[in-house]
Amino acid sequence: MKQHKYLKITISLILLIALITAASIFLSYNVLKVRTFSYETDKAVDPVRAVVISDLHEHEFGKDNVKLVEKIREQEPDIILMVGDFVNQDSADSTVAVKLVEQLSKLAPVCYSLGNHEESYMAKTDWNFPTEIEKAGAHFLDKEYVDMDIRGTKLRIGGMFSYAFGADGKDSAAAAPEDVKNFLMDFQDTDRLKIMMAHRPDSFIFGDAASVWDVDLVVSGHDHGGQVVVPFAGGVFGGDQGYFPKYVHGMYEKDRLHLFVSSGLGSANEPLPRVNNLPEVAVWRLKNQLKLDDAKQTCYII
């Protein structure tokens, strides 16, 4: 009898864990969480609200992402930064990404930078992807930048998928490829607030890149917040950073730059699905201090 009782308890626990996990996976693909951050800079004359999104991976929040667009509209952005991986490497076309850009460009200026999935998609399927994104209304930036004046604040927004260092065994900035060094030297030659869209946080956290290059804020995604988020331990997977990475979600300081890493909106064909990891619409404000404003976190189910 005791064995039968213990068996029932064990089965019940297994079913409960399975149910909780299934619910967490569902929420991790169907709930949008808005998180608000602040960034201190003496270069910002008036507050600027920027929405940062990444890693959609062709996922849709409602038909044509209408619910994602509406949630972004509610944030009243002055600028929208799309930091790569909105298509998948095996996408048949770029319809989801292009339609999203078309809608967002009606809300605010949009800047779009490459992710690793765009790179693979372009090589396999469509080299005209950058042109399609620009025709949809965005600034497509890869080793390029655009200067903007928003609410009296002078911004320089750049995009770069490449690593900001070279393969010399020490990850030295001095060993970076010439095109990367030339771009970064040109990019940093300004009194404007310098924001770099770099899909992989890895591009600036290894070697001495964060101390050599004069970039105020690097905005990244790529690691999906760790894909699987373990309570009290954080995200599990971090690309080049390995397991339980340090730079996986939120705001960080490293040497002379600040780094923001978004947990993203979806995932591709990963070994494990997103778990305990809500899709994120990040809003950061150029104002008085750098901190996570927990009071501004909101969620809603689609």
Side-chain angles (χ1 to χ4, degrees):
M1 291 294 294
K2 285 186 177 181
Q3 288 183 342
H4 182 65
K5 180 180 178 180
Y6 290 148
L7 180 61
K8 288 178 64 176
I9 293 174
T10 300
I11 293 174
S12 296
L13 287 174
I14 292 173
L15 290 175
L16 179 60
I17 293 170
L19 180 62
I20 292 173
T21 302
S24 179
I25 292 172
F26 173 80
L27 296 176
S28 296
Y29 286 92
N30 294 282
V31 169
L32 285 171
K33 185 170 189 175
V34 176
R35 304 188 75 182
T36 303
F37 301 80
S38 295
Y39 175 70
E40 180 182 3
T41 173
D42 57 7
K43 298 177 183 178
V45 178
D46 293 305
V48 172
R49 291 175 63 84
V51 164
V52 178
I53 53 175
S54 71
D55 299 281
L56 183 67
H57 290 288
E58 271 198 328
H59 188 64
E60 292 189 79
F61 295 89
K63 182 174 174 56
D64 293 335
N65 273 305
V66 62
K67 295 185 179 181
L68 172 60
V69 173
E70 182 56 32
K71 183 50 59 177
I72 293 173
R73 185 195 310 275
E74 291 173 4
Q75 309 316 310
E76 299 181 342
D78 297 307
I79 187 171
I80 300 170
L81 306 181
M82 301 177 67
V83 196
D85 279 8
F86 287 84
V87 298
N88 289 320
Q89 62 181 2
D90 57 356
S91 293
D93 56 48
S94 59
T95 299
V96 172
V98 168
K99 285 187 176 180
L100 181 59
V101 171
E102 287 175 346
Q103 295 177 84
L104 294 181
S105 63
K106 297 175 182 177
L107 306 181
V110 177
C111 294
Y112 191 116
S113 64
L114 280 174
N116 50 293
H117 278 262
E118 277 93 354
E119 286 238 314
S120 297
Y121 169 75
M122 289 164 58
K124 293 178 180 179
T125 305
D126 185 6
W127 278 110
N128 292 320
F129 179 72
T131 301
E132 294 167 4
I133 292 298
E134 290 189 331
K135 285 183 177 179
H139 298 280
F140 188 93
L141 303 173
D142 186 44
K143 291 195 282 289
E144 294 184 59
Y145 63 81
V146 59
D147 289 338
M148 294 183 177
D149 294 352
I150 298 177
R151 296 183 179 274
T153 301
K154 296 183 181 298
L155 302 175
R156 173 164 288 183
I157 311 294
M160 186 184 77
F161 179 71
S162 304
Y163 292 114
F165 50 84
D168 63 345
K170 298 181 180 179
D171 297 331
S172 302
E178 286 302 312
D179 61 335
V180 171
K181 287 194 291 186
N182 290 339
F183 165 65
L184 288 171
M185 291 176 67
D186 186 27
F187 176 79
Q188 66 187 18
D189 185 21
T190 182
D191 292 330
R192 292 173 175 266
L193 180 68
K194 299 177 286 290
I195 302 170
M196 180 66 71
M197 302 166 65
H199 178 70
R200 301 171 295 193
D202 313 334
S203 292
F204 282 87
I205 63 174
F206 293 123
D208 59 358
S211 62
V212 170
W213 301 118
D214 183 13
V215 180
D216 297 306
L217 176 64
V218 174
V219 180
S220 300
H222 185 58
D223 293 325
H224 306 167
Q227 189 73 5
V228 176
V229 178
V230 178
F232 310 111
V236 174
F237 305 107
D240 292 348
Q241 298 179 64
Y243 294 104
F244 293 101
K246 179 178 179 180
Y247 303 98
V248 70
H249 175 248
M251 296 286 282
Y252 305 91
E253 291 185 49
K254 190 174 193 305
D255 300 323
R256 68 190 300 182
L257 61 78
H258 291 92
L259 169 68
F260 172 73
V261 186
S262 171
S263 61
L265 293 163
S267 63
N269 297 320
E270 309 294 337
L272 292 174
R274 291 175 71 109
V275 180
N276 190 33
N277 186 7
L278 300 183
E280 178 179 75
V281 173
V283 181
W284 52 263
R285 299 170 293 179
L286 304 182
K287 51 181 304 183
N288 296 325
Q289 57 184 342
L290 176 65
K291 66 178 182 178
L292 171 63
D293 184 354
D294 288 317
K296 294 294 185 179
Q297 296 185 16
T298 58
C299 305
Y300 82 114
I301 295 179
I302 63 172

